[in-house]
Amino acid sequence: RMVVQRGAEPGQGALATHGAGVGVGRGEPHQHGAVRRLGGPSPVAGRNRAEIEDLIGFFVNTLALRIDLSGEPDIAELLARTKRQVLAAQAHQDLPFDQIVEAVKPARSLSHPPIFQTMFAWQNIEDGRFDLPGLAMSQVDSEDTTAKFDLTLSLGENDTGIVGELNYSKAL
């Protein structure tokens, strides 16, 4: 409720909470030693223009996000920071994530993906049923047994509240 009262989306509130939880004791120390910024991506549907909303296809891109945990913000401030960061990233969502990786030139390793090791996904899709003439379709749940990142938190909202799943590397 507080998230909506502050003009943010539920996914932004969940991302702020995730950032605070994952960011405890982690992130990048600032030159003064007190600033913490937690990096992490979030997938975006890539359907930001009306002319492509009804197209069938896979348009997903990854938004590079940084959650600013400096100064030990209270939840209202953290939510405001997260909302600003998400909106800024969404304004540039057409920039392919691969180009960001190319520009940053991170050290590469076969043991982990470049730039980030955690993923947050907010799924704001309907109930998983599709109505197409002549076809009966429904969502099929699959068990994702291989972690692609150290930690992936996927959340969404349904009639009962916020639901989701956590996938993590057993090597942690």
Side-chain angles (χ1 to χ4, degrees), residues 118-133:
T118 65
M119 171 72 79
F120 175 82
W122 179 260
Q123 307 290 339
N124 61 348
I125 55 175
E126 301 298 320
D127 60 8
R129 285 179 280 162
F130 304 97
D131 295 323
L132 297 172

Side-chain angles (χ1 to χ4, degrees), residues 121-167:
W122 179 260
Q123 307 290 339
N124 61 348
I125 55 175
E126 301 298 320
D127 60 8
R129 285 179 280 162
F130 304 97
D131 295 323
L132 297 172
L135 294 175
M137 297 173 39
S138 64
Q139 181 173 328
V140 175
D141 292 327
S142 66
E143 189 173 312
D144 195 3
T145 58
T146 303
K148 294 170 185 65
F149 307 103
D150 286 351
L151 178 71
T152 301
L153 179 61
S154 299
L155 298 174
E157 197 170 20
N158 67 18
D159 295 339
T160 63
I162 294 176
V163 297
E165 65 181 44
L166 183 66
N167 182 287

Side-chain angles (χ1 to χ4, degrees), residues 6 33 36 48 50 52 74 97-98 101 113 123 130 134 136 138 163:
R6 299 205 179 266
R36 297 269 184 217
N48 59 337
I52 65 170
D74 63 20
F97 185 72
D98 292 345
V101 173
Q123 307 290 339
F130 304 97
S138 64
V163 297

Side-chain angles (χ1 to χ4, degrees), residues 71-141:
E72 298 181 19
D74 63 20
I75 191 66
E77 176 59 25
L78 180 59
L79 179 59
R81 290 178 187 181
T82 302
K83 179 182 175 182
R84 283 192 302 269
Q85 179 65 24
V86 168
L87 292 176
Q90 286 175 336
H92 301 286
Q93 68 177 291
D94 290 334
L95 180 64
F97 185 72
D98 292 345
Q99 287 183 10
I100 294 171
V101 173
E102 244 178 70
V104 173
K105 296 184 186 345
R108 297 293 186 132
S109 169
L110 295 176
S111 66
H112 59 79
I115 300 182
F116 60 86
Q117 285 79 46
T118 65
M119 171 72 79
F120 175 82
W122 179 260
Q123 307 290 339
N124 61 348
I125 55 175
E126 301 298 320
D127 60 8
R129 285 179 280 162
F130 304 97
D131 295 323
L132 297 172
L135 294 175
M137 297 173 39
S138 64
Q139 181 173 328
V140 175
D141 292 327

